[in-house]
Amino acid sequence: MSLLLVAKNRDFTSLKNALLEKDPNLDVEIWPRVENKERIHFAVCWNHPDEVLGNYPNLRGVSSLGAGVNHLLDDESLSPDIPICRLITGSLQDQMAEYVLNTITNYRLHIAEYFKQKEKGIWKQHSSIPKKNSPVGIMGLGEMGLNVATLLVQQEYTVNGWSRSKKDIEGVTSYAGKNELSDFLSETKILVNLLPLTDETEGILDLDLFKKLKKPGYLINVGRGDHLIEEDLIYAFDMDYLEGACLDVFEEEPLPQNHSFWNRKQIMITPHIAAITPAKEAAEMLVENYKRAMSGMDLMYEVDREKGY
Ligand code: NDP
Ligand code: OXD
């Protein structure tokens, strides 16, 4: 029985070492050099090539190498009977909360502007945006969003959250479902997208949504690039619905060199690094789920295919 690591352009050395440290008896294979496809019982995938999973007839489970699973649910070669799970670790959640808090602080204090001023030797002060004028709205209150919300409440931000089902989280005003989306947006200035990418959420960050924020708003997209209608972001700047955005995820990654976002002064870009699973922590969960799959148990953080997350 083997565990297979599959990804395009990824060096799996540290993950393989961490897996073997956790369980020296594990047989770990790295795609595409797989001698006996029948021996593969569990696959761990990130940005994997289409259709590849259909080649392994004895798969009993598949894990994402991250929290998102849209790449796995989109793969039609993966039989619907095979359970899919996500990789959630404490440090993934903490990194995400830290990224969002830092981005909000940088925005409120105009830090990006000071970087630009330094390049030109300009000494000019800007008034920071007070916390009380910076209500944050988090779309998605799951494993990531809840942690972000908790940290922001501790930091005394006004926090609104939007999800499918209503939540009871101390310090967070909860809005749920499409009917409450407009109310959520009208109470939000800094919008954080932490939704999973599903049929319902694809393209949700559009002009109509930006129009409903407290003006001018600020967008932090750490969900997926396909949540955002890219040209609507530009219209939203032009119409002063938004004054800035920090984007960590893109329709196409790496973001192409000739993409117009690179030259937009309002956009801060990070290369999909908001939260990255450390190999050692990833190995602990992967080995646990591998063992569960081998013994026919439910997987940890198993995905509900109906809901799509
Ligand atoms: P979860 O599955 O734990 O939570 C998803 C949340 O979104 C839930 O609160 C859910 O509502 C809500 N939701 C889903 N669909 C809808 C909808 N149609 N309308 C309203 N709310 C909805 O996901 P995670 O928190 O673990 O991760 C979220 C996403 O963040 C990932 O899918 C991934 O794309 C992204 N991510 C990005 C990273 C990065 O480095 N940029 C790192 C990690 C994650 P309910 O609670 O009611 O079910
Ligand atoms: C994830 C990610 O889904 O890093 O974990 O995007």
Side-chain angles (χ1 to χ4, degrees), residues 1-3 19 21-26 41-42 60-61 85 283-300:
M1 288 190 194
S2 305
L3 181 150
L19 285 164
E21 197 174 307
K22 178 77 190 152
D23 182 350
N25 297 319
L26 214 56
H41 285 83
F42 194 82
R60 293 192 200 164
C85 60
E284 297 205 351
M285 243 202 89
L286 292 174
V287 170
E288 170 67 28
N289 266 338
Y290 168 78
K291 289 183 176 160
R292 284 173 179 241
M294 292 312 105
S295 49
M297 290 163 68
D298 288 343
L299 305 184
M300 287 169 74

Side-chain angles (χ1 to χ4, degrees), residues 230-291:
E230 292 192 343
E231 61 269 30
D232 282 12
L233 180 64
I234 305 302
Y235 292 136
F237 293 142
D238 294 346
M239 299 174 89
D240 291 330
Y241 297 142
L242 289 179
E243 64 176 333
C246 175
L247 309 177
D248 184 55
V249 287
F250 301 88
E251 258 177 45
E252 186 181 345
E253 294 180 6
L255 186 65
Q257 271 308 308
N258 61 356
H259 198 289
S260 66
F261 282 179
W262 289 112
N263 296 322
R264 276 273 159 181
K265 63 177 187 327
Q266 301 96 330
I267 301 180
M268 160 90 185
I269 290 174
T270 54
H272 202 145
I273 48 76
I276 295 174
T277 321
K280 197 166 182 297
E281 278 189 48
E284 297 205 351
M285 243 202 89
L286 292 174
V287 170
E288 170 67 28
N289 266 338
Y290 168 78
K291 289 183 176 160

Side-chain angles (χ1 to χ4, degrees), residues 115-155:
F115 273 112
K116 283 185 213 139
Q117 288 184 197
K118 182 187 169 243
E119 278 168 20
K120 296 183 185 151
I122 297 173
W123 179 277
K124 184 176 172 201
Q125 298 177 336
H126 305 276
S127 322
S128 57
I129 306 168
K131 271 189 191 171
K132 65 177 171 41
N133 296 347
S134 310
V136 182
I138 304 171
M139 300 177 86
L141 288 172
E143 299 298 332
M144 299 296 136
L146 173 59
N147 218 45
V148 172
T150 307
L151 181 63
L152 293 176
V153 169
Q154 280 165 13
Q155 295 289 318

Side-chain angles (χ1 to χ4, degrees), residues 11 39 42 64 80 88 91 101 114 116 121 156 169 172 177 179 182 201 213 226 292 302 307:
D11 178 4
R39 278 187 54 76
F42 194 82
S64 170
I88 302 289
S91 72
L101 175 62
Y114 293 126
K116 283 185 213 139
E156 299 181 348
I169 307 166
V172 177
N179 290 343
S182 295
T201 65
L213 292 169
D226 287 337
R292 284 173 179 241
E302 193 164 325
K307 289 204 295 194

Side-chain angles (χ1 to χ4, degrees), residues 84-100:
I84 296 176
C85 60
R86 314 184 307 120
L87 188 58
I88 302 289
T89 65
S91 72
L92 199 71
Q93 293 167 307
D94 290 348
Q95 287 172 59
M96 182 59 80
E98 197 178 17
Y99 178 98
V100 171

Side-chain angles (χ1 to χ4, degrees), residues 9-29:
N9 309 323
R10 192 174 184 120
D11 178 4
F12 275 126
T13 314
S14 54
L15 182 59
K16 183 173 179 179
N17 290 341
L19 285 164
L20 293 176
E21 197 174 307
K22 178 77 190 152
D23 182 350
N25 297 319
L26 214 56
D27 183 7
V28 181
E29 303 253 18

